[in-house]
Amino acid sequence: MKNFPIDDFQTIVDDVLIRHRSILDILTKLQESTAKINRAVAKSATYCGCIRIHGERQEIPMDVSYSQLKSYMKDHVDGEFCDICKEKIEHELSTNFFYLTALCNVFDINIEEMLAKYNEQLKTLGKYGLL
Ligand SMILES: [Zn+2]
C-alpha cells in the first residue's frame, strides 16, 4: 500500500472524530495513545517474549566522527514482533497517528504540506538537522 493518500486520511479523521473533538480530548487521547505504544512494546518483551530489550550504555569509540556515529549506535532490541504483537503495535501507532492528525486538523495544518517542508529540511540539513 504505497502512496497512501494522507489528505484522504486527514479528511476521514475530521469526519469520524465526534466525541473527542475538543482540543483537551485530542491532547489527552494523543498522550494516552503514546502510553499504550510504550505499554505494547513492554508487553512484547515481558509477556510475549518475542522481543528482548537490553538497555545498556552505548559503546562509542572516542575517535568516531558524528557522521560515523550511526554505525555504533544500538537500538537495544533483539528479535522481531510476532504477528500478534505486530498487530497490537500497529493498532496503537495508528491510534496515535489518528489523534496526531486530529490535532493537525484543529489548527488547519495540512499534514502532507507539513511533512514535505520537514522532508526538505531533513534533506538540506541531513543528520545535523536533528542535533
Ligand atoms: Zn509477541
Side-chain angles (χ1 to χ4, degrees), residues 43-44 48-51 80-86:
K43 294 304 281 181
S44 294
C48 179
C50 59
I51 63 167
E80 295 178 8
F81 288 131
C82 67
D83 290 344
I84 293 169
C85 291
K86 185 174 181 182

Side-chain angles (χ1 to χ4, degrees), residues 3-54:
N3 298 323
F4 180 79
I6 297 293
D7 284 345
D8 289 354
F9 184 74
Q10 201 159 4
T11 300
I12 289 170
V13 168
D14 187 55
D15 288 345
V16 301
L17 186 66
I18 296 169
R19 281 188 30 209
H20 303 297
R21 212 161 174 88
S22 160
I23 186 67
L24 296 174
D25 288 320
I26 292 168
L27 288 171
T28 54
K29 292 295 276 184
L30 181 62
Q31 186 66 40
E32 178 185 60
S33 67
T34 301
K36 287 184 175 181
I37 292 168
N38 295 341
R39 180 74 176 151
V41 171
K43 294 304 281 181
S44 294
T46 62
Y47 182 76
C48 179
C50 59
I51 63 167
R52 286 179 294 171
I53 300 171
H54 302 282

Side-chain angles (χ1 to χ4, degrees), residues 67-130:
S67 62
Q68 298 170 310
L69 191 57
K70 182 179 177 183
S71 62
Y72 291 95
M73 301 302 285
K74 297 176 184 169
D75 62 17
H76 296 138
V77 177
D78 287 337
E80 295 178 8
F81 288 131
C82 67
D83 290 344
I84 293 169
C85 291
K86 185 174 181 182
E87 189 173 318
K88 176 72 174 165
I89 294 289
E90 287 177 347
H91 173 76
E92 300 302 351
L93 288 169
S94 296
T95 302
N96 185 269
F97 194 71
F98 177 93
Y99 286 106
L100 189 61
T101 300
L103 183 61
C104 289
N105 286 346
V106 166
F107 296 112
D108 292 323
I109 295 170
N110 180 284
I111 293 173
E112 196 168 314
E113 291 173 9
M114 174 185 72
L115 291 178
K117 276 192 247 175
Y118 192 64
N119 188 47
E120 285 304 311
Q121 178 185 336
L122 290 174
K123 284 198 280 188
T124 303
L125 300 174
K127 58 188 115 187
Y128 303 102
L130 298 175

